[in-house]
Amino acid sequence: ERRRISAVHAGIEAQKNAGKTSIEIAAMDMKLPPVDQAAPTRLGNVFNGANHTLIERYGFDIGALWIHLRTLLAADHKDLATAIDDERTPMEVLISLSILTVVFGIETAVLSLVTQRPADAGLLLLSLPVGYGLYRAACARADSYIELMKAAVDLYRSDLAKALKSIGDPSAEDEW
């Protein structure tokens, strides 16, 4: 993943140096974390990239404040909260199916060794690309889920700041 992120960042820099400045370049640059913050998986990098963008833009750590924002959205902005939930559920289903597919393939391979039926081990070879395809689909769903989360932060961060100030200490005002 670090090599992939380095290659993408190098491509972005090459396009910038060639005089190309487009919205697509900026969008690609904002979706990936810096190389030193790369997660071992593509899915982790989708979340790290979003968190890095929000920290850079607003000083907003999504891991620390998301539950507060989610509570605010559920109370005052039900449509956006429902849309976020509607994106999250299929992503989680795809992740679960991906894991289960690979685990099923491994169990079948082990069972074929135990029962001495090597033909059943072919299910492992089938389960790996299917599991990977499901994982990549989950990454795509995670990308749209993250975009909704970032939109929620963009739209309602001031409401969140007010809500946190009302329950927090008075010195929290200086941090916002």
Side-chain angles (χ1 to χ4, degrees), residues 75-127:
D76 298 335
H77 311 284
K78 293 182 194 295
D79 291 340
L80 182 57
T82 302
I84 291 171
D85 289 342
D86 289 346
E87 282 298 318
R88 181 181 175 161
T89 302
M91 175 193 66
E92 290 176 346
V93 167
L94 286 168
I95 292 168
S96 298
L97 284 174
S98 172
I99 293 168
L100 287 173
T101 302
V102 172
V103 168
F104 173 75
I106 292 170
E107 286 178 352
T108 304
V110 169
L111 186 63
S112 72
L113 290 173
V114 171
T115 60
Q116 297 180 353
R117 292 177 21 195
D120 292 344
L123 285 175
L124 173 64
L125 297 176
L126 178 65
S127 72

Side-chain angles (χ1 to χ4, degrees), residues 3-176:
R3 284 192 300 267
R4 183 182 73 83
I5 291 172
S6 294
V8 170
H9 283 302
I12 290 169
E13 286 301 317
Q15 288 182 0
K16 285 180 183 177
N17 292 338
K20 296 181 181 177
T21 56
S22 72
I23 295 173
E24 290 179 13
I25 293 173
M28 284 180 5
D29 197 24
M30 289 178 13
K31 287 186 177 184
L32 294 172
V35 177
D36 61 333
Q37 295 178 11
T41 63
R42 192 173 295 245
L43 186 63
N45 285 326
V46 170
F47 288 103
N48 279 355
N51 197 37
H52 176 72
T53 300
L54 292 174
I55 288 172
E56 289 291 312
R57 189 181 298 165
Y58 305 120
F60 186 104
D61 185 352
I62 196 92
L65 296 176
W66 175 247
I67 192 68
H68 300 291
L69 182 59
R70 179 68 182 88
T71 304
L72 177 73
L73 291 174
D76 298 335
H77 311 284
K78 293 182 194 295
D79 291 340
L80 182 57
T82 302
I84 291 171
D85 289 342
D86 289 346
E87 282 298 318
R88 181 181 175 161
T89 302
M91 175 193 66
E92 290 176 346
V93 167
L94 286 168
I95 292 168
S96 298
L97 284 174
S98 172
I99 293 168
L100 287 173
T101 302
V102 172
V103 168
F104 173 75
I106 292 170
E107 286 178 352
T108 304
V110 169
L111 186 63
S112 72
L113 290 173
V114 171
T115 60
Q116 297 180 353
R117 292 177 21 195
D120 292 344
L123 285 175
L124 173 64
L125 297 176
L126 178 65
S127 72
L128 293 177
V130 170
Y132 182 69
L134 290 168
Y135 174 74
R136 291 299 299 263
C139 290
R141 289 303 285 218
D143 197 31
S144 60
Y145 170 67
I146 288 296
E147 291 304 317
L148 278 174
M149 288 176 67
K150 287 177 9 181
V153 170
D154 287 340
L155 294 172
Y156 301 109
R157 69 182 182 279
S158 61
D159 294 345
L160 175 65
K162 289 175 190 170
L164 289 175
K165 285 178 195 173
S166 68
I167 62 171
D169 63 351
S171 65
E173 185 172 321
D174 297 335
E175 294 178 20
W176 288 88

